Amino acid sequence: MTSPLIQPLASVEAFLARSHASFIDGEQRLPGGETRRTLRNPADDTALSETRLADLAQVEAIVQSAHRAFRSGIWSGLTPAERERLLLRFADLVEQHSEELAQLESLNQGKSIHIARAIEVGATLNYMRYMAGWATKIEGQTLDVSMPMPAGARFNAYTRREPAGVVAGIVPWNFPMMIALWKVMPALACGCTIIIKPADETPLTVLRLAELAIQAGIPAGVFNVLLGQGSVAGAALIAHPLVNKVSFTGSTAVGKQVGAAALQNMTRFTLELGGKNPMLVLPDADLDKAVAGAIGGGLLNQGQVCAAASRFFVHASRYDDFVERLGAQVAALKIGAGMDPQAQINPLVSRRQQDSVLGHLARAREQGARVHCGGARPERPGYFVEPTVLADVEPGMDCAREEIFGPVLSVLRYDDLDTAVERINDNPNGLAASIWSNDLGRVMDLIPRIQAGTVWVNNHVPLDPNLPFGGYKQSGIGREFGRAAIEGFTELKSVCITY
Ligand code: NAD
């Protein structure tokens, strides 16, 4: 049964009807070449909108635009309070257009309109205002020094944080608007200029954001958007000698290439990469809460979340009960379009991602995992995969080790906690983890033993702009959010004055 879909706003229809191109120097500019891409609606595989991909001449033009804007001081030369005021005005405009942005994202990415409203836009607004506030709080230190020369000299030494310069922000397709703003806001708060390269599947909200930034009074050239394939436009962007910092969010495989390319020019880089995030359920855990947490933390955005819970280590004494309860609730989830307000499971972003997840499921079956519920492709157009619980999963199976980035929950049994921790850490990823227990002593012992950039206790996946976010091991280099983000978009200069 399908329920009536939300009718898109007229402004959304008008935006979709346009043929979009890279946003350079305050406006969309058509490229010299004619490489077009048709964006498709993941819910029904119909054409949604069209983009024209940048050629290499446009990559050059966009970097020159951001470089000119940085060097001219139209942005970095403003007082911190002026930058803060403009960024807050930008946030106000995003809020005024929140329904339009949420609908665009739901239609383009496939996600639930509720998630688009609450997270992609709602949580991001908090993040925008938090980061705008950093513009007026960037600081250095005054340091006492003991240099012996010249004799009798006195010194005043201090550090200052200066904007890194031109930033290339490369973002994935799972939360296109939110993750773009995770880079735009701190970069601009620090006085940098930025070029966002969205994933080619999901450029629409970022293009709309660039227009709103101009409307807010952020000067042309400060926030640009480059449309193009990662291996072409993205690669050319990060290799450009006028790019000073690369902030990348995406897969670990591409992140390694990006880091290696950035190193060629000693361009600064931070990498936010993939995860295979465990949820550890202790014998005393409140199973109602743990099951709800598994669904919220594992199936948010159909599991297309870097920090999603995807491998569940459940104590043998609670294993069957956990699997039964989880399976019953997962099987009852309603599948439908993102614009269907009743739907709880929505399509994946693309046919490619759907095929990839179905391939993982086929391999899990071959390797002996038991499909407790789901596991199939529903008989409907669009890129849907049934939400799936895999039981009897063994630690060596691919579904217990590899990021699937889809609605698949792999449940493993453990007998003793030390073995569970060993298995959790025996993975190249280390983005996030959660522990489910009310046994405070055990929880406090476990937190330092788990190799992950974030450990949640009795919850999974909430992020706060003030709490650093990033990965251990192959889940990344560097941290976003909070003070760490500001450090990532600034250079540290030491000053020493003799007097
Ligand atoms: P991806 O690595 O395929 O692509 C990410 C971005 O990089 C896209 O814009 C793409 O066009 C671009 N790109 C691809 N090749 C490039 C190259 N050679 N040079 C420069 N840019 C290039 O990732 P995806 O499939 O879009 O997103 C899913 C992945 O992102 C998952 O692994 C997920 O875990 C990860 N992710 C991580 C976080 C985090 O914060 N840690 C957040 C969201 C997603």
Side-chain angles (χ1 to χ4, degrees):
M1 284 289 287
T2 52
S3 38
L5 302 186
I6 292 171
Q7 199 49 39
L9 297 171
S11 55
V12 170
E13 301 274 24
F15 196 76
L16 294 175
R18 286 163 55 182
S19 177
H20 293 281
S22 296
F23 192 92
I24 306 176
D25 255 343
E27 59 183 9
Q28 286 197 18
R29 295 250 191 97
L30 294 181
E34 276 298 291
T35 316
R36 292 165 192 251
R37 181 185 166 115
T38 301
L39 303 177
R40 309 199 74 79
N41 183 339
D44 57 14
D45 194 32
T46 56
L48 186 69
S49 194
E50 185 191 70
T51 56
R52 307 210 185 174
L53 305 185
D55 53 19
L56 292 180
Q58 271 206 320
V59 177
E60 185 61 31
I62 209 163
V63 175
Q64 291 294 347
S65 161
H67 178 68
R68 259 193 321 275
F70 182 68
R71 284 281 154 230
S72 70
I74 48 171
W75 184 248
S76 61
L78 296 182
T79 64
E82 285 168 330
R83 282 205 302 275
E84 181 183 71
R85 187 174 53 81
L86 290 171
L87 291 173
L88 288 172
R89 196 189 288 167
F90 178 32
D92 289 345
L93 279 169
V94 169
E95 188 163 41
Q96 284 163 29
H97 291 81
S98 47
E99 181 61 15
E100 176 190 338
L101 289 161
Q103 290 189 8
L104 271 179
E105 204 67 283
S106 177
L107 287 164
N108 188 186
Q109 201 276 339
K111 63 168 45 78
S112 155
I113 186 68
H114 303 301
I115 301 298
R117 287 174 183 151
I119 298 181
E120 195 95 56
V121 182
T124 302
L125 276 167
N126 289 341
Y127 179 89
M128 291 182 81
R129 293 183 170 124
Y130 169 89
M131 274 299 165
W134 265 105
T136 49
K137 288 152 199 85
I138 299 170
E139 59 189 17
Q141 285 178 303
T142 309
L143 299 138
D144 287 339
V145 292
S146 311
M147 288 170 280
M149 304 246 288
R154 288 183 294 158
F155 300 96
N156 178 281
Y158 66 95
T159 58
R160 44 181 275 114
R161 290 212 163 261
E162 299 181 346
V166 174
V167 176
I170 303 195
V171 297
W173 44 254
N174 60 334
F175 279 93
M177 166 170 158
M178 179 177 84
I179 295 177
L181 287 168
W182 285 358
K183 303 182 186 312
V184 171
M185 293 303 293
L188 267 50
C190 291
C192 299
T193 59
I194 191 162
I195 301 155
I196 289 287
K197 202 218 72 70
D200 30 336
E201 296 89 341
T202 53
L204 294 179
T205 45
V206 183
L207 286 166
R208 188 70 186 108
L209 287 173
E211 293 179 348
L212 294 176
I214 293 288
Q215 206 180 320
I218 294 171
V222 171
F223 172 10
N224 301 283
V225 180
L226 176 65
L227 304 188
Q229 283 178 300
S231 55
V232 183
L237 179 64
I238 52 180
H240 201 291
L242 292 179
V243 169
N244 305 104
K245 157 87 189 195
V246 176
S247 177
F248 174 85
T249 299
S251 62
T252 300
V254 175
K256 288 179 183 178
Q257 292 173 30
V258 167
L263 271 178
Q264 299 311 305
N265 296 328
M266 285 296 168
T267 306
R268 279 70 178 119
F269 63 92
T270 41
L271 305 173
E272 295 290 344
L273 308 176
K276 183 68 184 174
N277 309 293
M279 177 167 160
L280 176 59
V281 181
L282 267 58
D284 75 292
D286 177 333
L287 273 206
D288 285 340
K289 289 189 180 150
V291 167
I295 292 174
L299 296 180
L300 173 70
N301 203 27
Q302 292 59 252
Q304 300 165 119
V305 175
C306 54
S310 62
R311 46 188 181 131
F312 300 78
F313 291 83
V314 183
H315 189 262
S317 64
R318 314 297 298 279
Y319 186 88
D320 292 339
D321 199 5
F322 181 87
V323 169
E324 280 308 317
R325 292 201 214 182
L326 182 65
Q329 292 188 32
V330 167
L333 294 172
K334 183 176 182 304
I335 297 177
M339 293 288 269
D340 173 349
Q342 307 295 326
Q344 295 158 301
I345 291 289
N346 314 106
L348 302 183
V349 69
S350 61
R351 178 76 70 210
R352 190 162 64 109
Q353 190 61 10
Q354 182 191 36
D355 288 344
S356 162
V357 172
L358 291 171
H360 277 283
L361 285 173
R363 211 152 11 114
R365 282 193 186 90
E366 279 162 27
Q367 293 179 358
R370 177 170 65 79
V371 178
H372 182 78
C373 69
R377 179 192 158 170
E379 286 299 317
R380 54 191 300 160
Y383 317 137
F384 294 88
V385 173
E386 287 176 356
T388 304
V389 174
L390 296 177
D392 301 337
V393 173
E394 294 296 333
M397 293 178 186
D398 292 347
C399 63
R401 300 194 61 77
E402 294 177 4
E403 183 182 51
I404 298 176
F405 226 56
V408 181
L409 313 178
S410 302
V411 193
L412 297 92
R413 186 190 305 267
Y414 74 87
D415 291 303
D416 74 282
L417 214 42
D418 287 343
T419 310
V421 171
E422 219 170 90
R423 287 176 178 163
I424 282 173
N425 289 336
D426 178 24
N427 192 279
N429 297 289
L431 188 60
S434 63
I435 303 169
W436 294 74
S437 169
N438 289 313
D439 183 337
L440 186 61
R442 271 183 159 172
V443 169
M444 296 302 282
D445 282 345
L446 284 166
I447 291 169
R449 295 175 64 196
I450 291 180
Q451 297 165 356
T454 296
V455 175
W456 292 291
V457 178
N458 294 331
N459 63 67
H460 194 112
V461 114
L463 300 177
D464 186 277
N466 203 27
L467 204 53
F469 180 65
Y472 272 37
K473 302 194 281 187
Q474 297 200 18
S475 288
I477 293 180
R479 294 291 180 270
E480 293 192 305
F481 301 7
R483 183 182 296 272
I486 300 303
E487 290 170 358
F489 291 107
T490 49
E491 286 280 1
L492 188 61
K493 178 173 281 177
S494 294
V495 181
C496 184
I497 301 169
T498 310
Y499 66 97

